[in-house]
Amino acid sequence: MHSLVFEDLLVMMAAALVAALLLRRLGLPNILSYLLAGCVIGPHVTGWVGEPESFAFVAEFGVVLLLFSIGLEFSLSRLLALRGSVFGVGGFQVVLCALLFGAAVYLWGTTVQAAVVIAGALALSSTAIVIRELSSLGQLHQRHGQLAVGVLLFQDLAAIIFLILVPVLAGAEEGGLASEIATALLRGAVLFAILMSVGKWLLPPLYREIARAHSEEIFVISTLVIVLLAAWLTHGFGLSMALGGFVIGMMLGESSFRHQIDSDIRGFKDILLALFFITIGMDIQVDLLLDYWPRLLLFAALLMLVKTALIALVVGLTGEDRYTALRCGLNLAQSGEFAIALLALGQLSGVVPADHASFIVLVAILTMAVSPLLLRYSERITPWLLHTLGVAPPVAAGIPREAEIHQGGHVIVGGYGRIGRVLAGLLEENQVPYIAIDNNVAVVDRARAEGRNVLFGDSANLQILRSCHIDSALLAVLTFRSLEQARAMIAQMRSVGINTPVIVRCHEQGHVRELLSLGANRVVPEMQEASLAIGAQMLELLDVDHSVIRQQLEARREHHGDVS
């Protein structure tokens, strides 16, 4: 038995690897690769893995981690800053789409309970795809991008409601459905208050103590235990375990430890999420695709058309021009990863029949596959659609790309010691935004108490730098403990296409030319510069001519390879 499980696991991971490598060339997200791999190896195609139910626990835990990761990306401060688009546009969009899609699938022949779950799944969009594409295109701070982010934030809030409803719908009779839902919402509110209190008062000091251990293993284990405890607590309240993961992710997403948490558990999380989406793919009844592919394509097209139209209508009612409204609609036209997770929960709970879940998942996959293209070419598609509808595009649509709002524009300061504080002070005096990173929790706490933008993390970790948007930063000043670490980090940054100018500060000296050849723009050997500064002061007190001092210092910099 153990041998069979091991072989199935090997087949699943190998299939995921092959699919990800192939679909990556097409620019499609890994989620689709894993779903495709699951379809191929599942019992409905090759049968290489004949019993997907053996991995049901992995699937459920994968949902918890998926919602935890979505929660980490949730931002209460951004929600308040965008409250107009969040509660106005987002609220109307979710309600209208849910009512329309719920009525449609109920007439299709589902139960009321299944209609609620499916409507919730279809009303929400893909946060991962939209944020990634808008960020890479430099459109997050354009008006249509801000509106899209606001709607996605409300969708994250709506996700909490749907997560509360799934287990209730599984056990409720239609006659007492209203009272069951009211009771569940009350339990959810109590649970939310408990987890909010834990996240605000208990987790910060706990993570400060964990951070002092300076151990990635302890960080990973601690985070997993916290997520599992939250899932266990929500399960004890009779609610979905995924709800606990999402709420605790929201709480940790507001802390200074967020980036380090995300970085430390990313590998573990990604593997489990890959297994989760593979198990979902194995449950997809592929014969539906073969028998009903015209209907699937039609449903996918209708879903994207209706969502685009409804979102554009709601945005237009807020006073935005038609161009912005339509681009926002195109941004959010797809279904998303939450739809797949919600349908998986619905199927595991017995609320949504397997064939219905498979059909809707296939529709969601088709919309997610098309979505990156819609996002990338919405600037061209929108004027064409407006012209087709007989509407003249506004003047704002013709603004050239170089006049668009510049993304990033900040400086990353790695290390917030004495030098880091000086650099941050200079940046503040010159009104240049910055993000400082330090792995000393006491330093971070003091700096944040003073109102400084300092986060906990290791600046020698590429994932931490990515979470600080190094791709769009003006400059990064990074401190490394050793030359080996500096070499590895600079080489890794340049190999993945990060072209941000970097000033490297090393405690050691030597090999400066090598770091410059790897891609560093400036290199400052800390000990050497300190000794040269002391030497300059010494020679001045000895009345040596300033020009002679300058020549001698430059000669020593050249001798040690500091040609920056």
Side-chain angles (χ1 to χ4, degrees), residues 301-340:
L302 283 175
L303 173 63
M304 300 188 80
L305 181 63
V306 170
K307 285 187 78 171
T308 299
L310 283 178
I311 293 170
L313 175 64
V314 172
V315 173
L317 291 175
T318 64
E320 299 290 341
D321 61 77
R322 292 185 178 93
Y323 178 81
T324 300
L326 191 52
R327 283 195 78 178
C328 184
L330 290 171
N331 289 344
L332 302 170
Q334 75 292 127
S335 187
E337 58 280 349
F338 182 80
I340 296 172

Side-chain angles (χ1 to χ4, degrees), residues 493-564:
M493 287 174 57
R494 298 316 188 204
S495 68
V496 297
I498 297 175
N499 298 314
T500 303
V502 176
I503 297 176
V504 174
R505 186 164 64 92
C506 263
H507 296 311
E508 303 176 23
Q509 65 184 48
H511 300 282
V512 173
R513 285 193 179 88
E514 181 183 359
L515 292 176
L516 292 171
S517 68
L518 288 172
N521 297 81
R522 297 285 189 275
V523 179
V524 181
E526 187 175 299
M527 294 175 64
Q528 176 184 314
E529 286 302 311
S531 63
L532 291 177
I534 294 172
Q537 298 286 337
M538 175 187 69
L539 294 175
E540 283 182 12
L541 290 174
L542 294 173
D543 294 326
V544 177
D545 186 82
H546 284 281
S547 62
V548 174
I549 294 174
R550 188 164 52 252
Q551 290 174 3
Q552 291 176 352
L553 294 182
E554 290 302 323
R556 274 158 179 74
R557 286 194 178 98
E558 180 69 23
H559 174 71
H560 289 293
D562 185 7
V563 293
S564 61

Side-chain angles (χ1 to χ4, degrees), residues 424-485:
L426 290 170
L427 291 169
E428 289 176 359
E429 288 177 17
N430 289 278
Q431 298 182 332
V432 178
Y434 69 91
I435 301 173
I437 309 166
D438 200 283
N439 61 1
N440 186 317
V441 67
V443 169
V444 174
D445 285 344
R446 281 197 302 269
R448 292 178 72 84
E450 295 169 358
R452 303 289 190 267
N453 189 22
V454 183
L455 303 174
F456 177 83
D458 185 358
S459 59
N461 184 316
L462 183 60
Q463 186 55 43
I464 297 291
L465 296 177
R466 280 192 181 280
S467 66
C468 294
H469 311 291
I470 190 170
D471 305 76
S472 56
L474 292 174
L475 177 68
V477 184
L478 304 178
T479 302
F480 299 102
R481 291 184 294 273
S482 66
L483 289 168
E484 289 74 16
Q485 189 182 60

